[in-house]
């Protein structure tokens, strides 16, 4: 049995589907009862409702599990503690191996959600457990919340500029690698950077969107301060707002670029391109689309 945490979220759902395609028995860990049916539809044999911050619930979730795919919640102030609790619960339950869903360049101190993942990586090294670390770049799927504006207004508005090249990776490729790594023992002790095949600036992304959608899509940089004000007005606050602001500022100054050769080696084929991803997005889509 393989436990997938964060299974109600974007990454977890993609990993559930990839594992199901390999006919693996999977237990999905979700946060709320209402997320049970969706995990079942994605092929989870068992679904457990648990709070990643609750050690007792984590022990129950890990009972009888061979391997864990550890996905931490997005922009959570206690991400490092969640990792530590999961590692402790895994040790107690006799889990053989954790595959940790980290991030490209976790060494980046300026981005708190990267830095917290580095702390979890360190705890894994010391855990005595078998482990593999995956470090995905930003997903191509992150464009989906902007889709309505792209299609209806022909504008791709993000709070960073043309200097922000990102090695966007298709979440479908990441999930395929995750499933491969979880079902083979040869990856024990490895850390894999999973970067997509092109480092794209937002203007280049807008160009590719124009090409695929057969309509002009222009890129517009929103000032970061305007974005933060809008996000605050929309109810975002605290650690998430602070981390996202720092992330967009970092992207603006440095981009986030990796190398796709490791991903290509693991997939044994070229990684999916952004254009190929855009081809798959249905014309009317909801922002949860991830395939
Ligand atoms: N997006 C990217 O480009 C990217 C790239 C590399 C790495 N990552 C990393 O991937 C991870 C997952 O991201 P994602 O976009 O898939 O996130 P997501 O869609 O928000 O999924 C996270 C899931 O965790 C659940 N959750 C939150 N707090 C919880 C708790 N205390 N106990 C149990 N479950 C809890 C959430 O529940 P609710 O649904 O109720 O909120 C959600 O279902 C993050 O660590 C992120 O940093 C993301």
């Amino acid at each position: 049995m393989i436990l997938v945490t964060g299974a109600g979220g974007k990454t977890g759902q993609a990993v559930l589907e990839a594992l199901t395609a390999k006919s693996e028995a999977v237990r999905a860990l979700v946060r709320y009862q209402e997320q049970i049916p969706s995990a079942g539809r994605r092929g989870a044999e068992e679904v457990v409702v648990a709070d990643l911050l609750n050690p007792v619930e984590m022990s129950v979730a890990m009972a009888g599990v061979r391997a864990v795919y550890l996905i931490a919640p997005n922009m959570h102030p206690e991400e490092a503690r969640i990792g530590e609790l999961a590692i402790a619960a895994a040790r107690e339950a006799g889990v053989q191996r954790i595959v940790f869903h980290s991030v490209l360049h976790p060494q980046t101190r300026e981005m708190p959600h990267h830095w917290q993942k580095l702390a979890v990586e360190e705890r894994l090294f010391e855990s005595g457990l078998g482990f593999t670390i995956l470090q995905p770049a930003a997903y191509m799927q992150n464009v989906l919340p902007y889709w309505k504006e792209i299609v209806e207004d022909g504008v791709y508005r993000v709070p960073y500029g043309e200097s922000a090249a990102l090695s966007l990776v298709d979440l479908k490729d990441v999930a395929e690698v995750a499933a491969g790594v979880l079902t083979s023992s040869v990856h024990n002790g490895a850390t894999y950077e999973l970067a997509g095949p092109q480092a794209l600036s937002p203007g280049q992304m807008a160009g590719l969107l124009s090409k695929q959608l057969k309509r002009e899509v222009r890129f517009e940089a929103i000032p970061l301060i305007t974005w933060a004000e809008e996000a605050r007005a929309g109810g975002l606050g605290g650690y998430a707002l602070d981390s996202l602001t720092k992330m967009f500022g970092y992207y603006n100054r440095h981009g986030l670029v990796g190398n796709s050769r490791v991903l290509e080696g693991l997939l044994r084929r070229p990684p999916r391109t952004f254009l190929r991803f855009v081809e798959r997005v249905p014309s009317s889509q909801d922002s949860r689309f991830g395939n």
Side-chain angles (χ1 to χ4, degrees):
M1 179 67 72
I2 296 174
L3 179 74
V4 177
T5 72
K10 187 164 54 180
T11 308
Q13 291 179 358
V15 172
L16 284 184
E17 284 173 0
L19 280 168
T20 303
K22 285 185 166 286
S23 307
E24 278 297 316
V26 181
R27 180 182 297 162
L29 186 157
V30 296
R31 189 181 194 181
Y32 301 115
Q33 295 280 345
E34 306 81 76
Q35 293 166 326
I36 295 176
S38 132
R41 279 197 301 279
R42 286 178 168 82
E45 199 166 284
E46 296 176 14
V47 187
V48 58
V49 178
D51 184 341
L52 290 163
L53 282 162
N54 183 320
V56 177
E57 291 178 8
M58 288 305 287
S59 290
V60 172
M62 298 234 182
V65 160
R66 166 173 71 79
V68 174
Y69 194 71
L70 177 58
I71 303 171
N74 207 15
M75 305 290 166
H76 194 292
E78 294 196 84
E79 193 173 334
R81 194 165 116 74
I82 283 173
E84 282 167 17
L85 289 173
I87 291 167
R91 286 176 54 142
E92 195 188 293
V95 169
Q96 292 160 23
R97 186 151 154 262
I98 292 189
V99 179
F100 176 47
H101 190 87
S102 184
V103 71
L104 183 66
H105 299 177
Q107 306 87 341
T108 311
R109 208 181 287 247
E110 266 187 66
M111 292 193 276
H113 65 301
H114 283 230
W115 191 242
Q116 292 215 57
K117 286 183 172 65
L118 190 72
V120 178
E121 292 191 7
E122 201 176 348
R123 294 291 86 76
L124 271 177
F125 302 154
E126 300 158 356
S127 68
L129 293 168
F131 69 85
T132 308
I133 296 168
L134 303 183
Q135 298 177 331
Y139 308 152
M140 294 175 184
Q141 278 76 0
N142 293 349
V143 80
L144 296 175
Y146 305 97
W147 203 254
K148 194 166 179 291
E149 206 175 17
I150 290 168
V151 174
E152 291 179 6
D153 305 337
V155 61
Y156 177 50
R157 289 173 87 231
V158 284
Y160 43 83
E162 264 305 272
S163 51
L166 303 175
S167 296
L168 295 177
V169 66
D170 194 325
L171 178 54
K172 208 172 165 66
D173 282 348
V174 174
E176 191 176 320
V177 168
V181 162
L182 278 161
T183 51
S184 159
S185 59
V186 302
H187 303 284
N188 239 351
T191 298
Y192 297 132
E193 188 173 275
L194 304 180
Q198 301 154 290
L200 295 173
S201 70
Q204 288 171 321
M205 287 171 71
L208 292 168
L209 287 162
S210 302
K211 185 173 171 188
Q212 184 59 33
L213 299 174
K214 298 187 176 41
R215 64 151 298 162
E216 196 201 339
V217 179
R218 66 186 169 79
F219 155 60
E220 186 185 310
I222 330 166
L224 189 50
I225 192 153
T226 309
W227 174 85
E229 277 162 11
E230 286 175 8
R232 200 176 290 111
L236 197 70
Y239 175 86
L241 179 60
D242 179 59
S243 299
L244 283 167
T245 306
K246 286 177 174 153
M247 181 184 86
F248 290 139
Y250 186 91
Y251 283 2
N252 194 47
R253 286 188 301 282
H254 309 291
L256 190 64
V257 174
N259 184 300
S260 64
R261 286 179 63 87
V262 171
L263 177 58
E264 179 157 357
L266 290 164
L267 292 168
R268 298 176 194 217
R269 59 163 172 80
R272 292 176 167 94
T273 61
F274 183 66
L275 206 52
R276 212 175 138 197
F277 160 73
V278 175
E279 273 169 22
R280 295 205 315 277
V281 184
S283 49
S284 71
Q285 68 93 43
D286 71 82
S287 63
R288 301 293 279 189
F289 166 82
N291 296 310

